[in-house]
Amino acid sequence: MALWLEELGANVTGYALRANTKPNHWELLAPAMADIEGDTRDYDKLLASLLEASPEIVFHFAAQSLVRESYHDPLETWTTNVIGTANLLEACRQVKTIKAIVVVTTDKVYENKEWSRGYHETDRLGGHDPYSASKAATELVVNSFRKSFFNSPDSASLASARAGNVIGGGDWSADRLIPDLARAFSSGTNLIIRSPESSRPWQHVLDCLRGYLILGERLLNSDKAAETSWNFGPPQKDNLKVSEVLNLMQPHWPGMEWTIEESVNYEQHEAGLLYLDSGRANSLLGWQPVWDLKTALRNTSDWYRHFYESKSIDSLAQLNQYIADASAIKEPG
């Protein structure tokens, strides 16, 4: 998102903890934007940083975003995701330049019934594991702030965005399928798979980022209808099992092998079937995915292979290709 905003000519300030993986996409990109090292749970520093930057729009991504990590440290997950968001929204109330706020949560905010149909924005929120539950609570914080404080004609417009399992180059987080695959392939080791039958709404990160940008533009234009929650997920055909994704990836990484983990910890619950219905974003925001899953997997594989072969990244090249593909979709015929 930082790269895309800079390419659009925005004056960008980032606020985040240091990336906790080596390598990491942020250091590889080395953007020229202002970069503040801070924790969203530090209200005073967060407020001071917002006042200094005086932004017009805020995109809130900061989170503890790993399901299994949320079992290891639930308090870190709850305080980061819930208190961190409350701190940000309270700080935004004090900064008069802010006109729009987009809070990004997750597809896992819904009470998972293992339905074959996609979840709608009006479906019941829930969450079994600490990560999912904390993100559902984050949605309640957003809704409360919207109704209590961001409800006047001169207040900032506030919305939340829920996306599926995003993939794309530059992610080295633990316990995620594609980063685990990239690490295993680059080191010549066997990939261990723990949930081959779990289905997820896979999509390229640029697709949901485009949705957030469209939503942010609507909020900046004071579109009251946009001040709600939005799903940004792939079409149902791209909601595939982990084993099916691996089979699609294999042609891009010849020799890739994997083993099914036998000792799965069933006490640590993870959803088996999850799918978002993005019909409202399709019809009311004019958003639709640009890259289908095969294209997303190919580009993701190309990104990692390019990095491990050349120690350089082609993020900007892929962004430009995505923008060109998105523009082509809009052309008549």
Side-chain angles (χ1 to χ4, degrees):
M1 179 62 99
L3 175 64
W4 201 337
L5 288 169
E6 283 198 324
E7 288 298 302
L8 290 169
N11 181 16
V12 185
T13 297
Y15 182 97
L17 297 174
R18 291 301 89 198
N20 61 359
T21 65
K22 288 288 184 179
N24 67 75
H25 198 196
W26 182 254
E27 292 178 358
L28 291 168
L29 278 173
M33 58 180 274
D35 178 17
I36 301 170
E37 182 174 349
D39 193 318
T40 54
R41 293 171 296 182
D42 184 344
Y43 175 79
D44 291 338
K45 184 171 185 177
L46 182 58
L47 174 59
S49 300
L50 279 167
L51 287 168
E52 182 178 358
S54 298
E56 288 184 285
I57 185 168
V58 174
F59 291 96
H60 176 43
F61 293 92
Q64 193 302 99
S65 57
L66 300 173
V67 172
R68 295 222 289 186
E69 179 60 28
S70 76
Y71 282 107
H72 299 320
D73 197 341
L75 290 181
E76 176 87 2
T77 301
W78 278 98
T79 56
T80 298
N81 294 351
V82 180
I83 301 302
T85 301
N87 279 346
L88 175 71
L89 295 179
E90 176 61 20
C92 285
R93 290 179 61 205
Q94 317 306 320
V95 184
K96 302 308 179 185
T97 58
I98 296 175
K99 300 177 182 177
I101 309 163
V102 177
V103 176
V104 178
T105 59
T106 174
D107 58 348
K108 297 178 179 65
V109 298
Y110 297 104
E111 183 178 14
N112 196 314
K113 302 289 189 180
E114 302 288 332
W115 287 331
S116 58
R117 74 159 176 84
Y119 289 91
H120 301 273
E121 290 88 345
T122 53
D123 282 328
R124 184 182 178 125
L125 300 178
H128 187 125
D129 58 88
Y131 167 69
S132 301
S134 70
K135 282 295 196 174
T138 297
E139 288 280 356
L140 295 179
V141 169
V142 172
N143 192 48
S144 173
F145 267 83
R146 183 192 297 115
K147 292 179 177 178
S148 301
F149 307 113
F150 296 99
N151 57 1
S152 64
D154 60 343
S155 61
S157 300
L158 172 62
S160 64
R162 305 162 181 174
N165 270 43
V166 296
I167 61 175
D171 185 4
W172 280 279
S173 299
D175 296 327
R176 285 180 177 165
L177 179 63
I178 304 302
D180 287 348
L181 175 59
R183 277 188 289 265
F185 183 77
S186 66
S187 61
T189 58
N190 193 37
L191 177 66
I192 306 299
I193 300 298
R194 68 179 187 272
S195 303
E197 296 306 302
S198 293
S199 294
R200 294 290 184 270
W202 310 92
Q203 64 185 328
H204 198 276
V205 63
L206 293 177
D207 265 332
C208 54
L209 290 183
R210 178 168 161 268
Y212 306 158
L213 287 170
I214 293 171
L215 176 58
E217 183 179 31
R218 290 290 187 92
L219 295 175
L220 281 174
N221 290 330
S222 301
D223 182 352
K224 291 298 180 182
E227 296 182 46
T228 183
S229 56
W230 298 89
N231 288 342
F232 294 100
Q236 189 168 10
K237 67 181 180 61
D238 287 341
N239 196 81
L240 299 182
K241 296 178 180 179
V242 168
S243 58
E244 293 172 315
V245 171
L246 288 170
N247 289 331
L248 289 174
M249 290 288 281
Q250 196 164 36
H252 303 296
W253 279 331
M256 178 183 74
E257 297 180 353
W258 61 87
T259 301
I260 305 303
E261 185 178 30
E262 299 295 338
S263 56
V264 178
N265 184 355
Y266 290 101
E267 293 181 359
Q268 294 188 356
H269 174 272
E270 289 191 57
L273 178 62
L274 189 58
Y275 169 52
L276 291 179
D277 186 307
S278 303
R280 192 147 64 88
N282 300 156
S283 60
L284 300 182
L285 296 180
W287 174 86
Q288 62 177 315
V290 174
W291 284 350
D292 62 17
L293 183 56
K294 288 185 178 180
T295 304
L297 290 172
R298 184 186 71 244
N299 286 325
T300 301
S301 302
D302 289 348
W303 193 100
Y304 283 106
R305 191 168 56 251
H306 178 83
F307 171 77
Y308 284 113
E309 289 174 355
S310 67
K311 299 304 177 186
S312 62
I313 61 175
D314 60 356
S315 301
L316 181 56
Q318 287 203 354
L319 173 59
N320 287 332
Q321 183 60 57
Y322 177 88
I323 292 171
D325 291 345
S327 298
I329 288 177
K330 298 177 183 178
E331 293 177 0

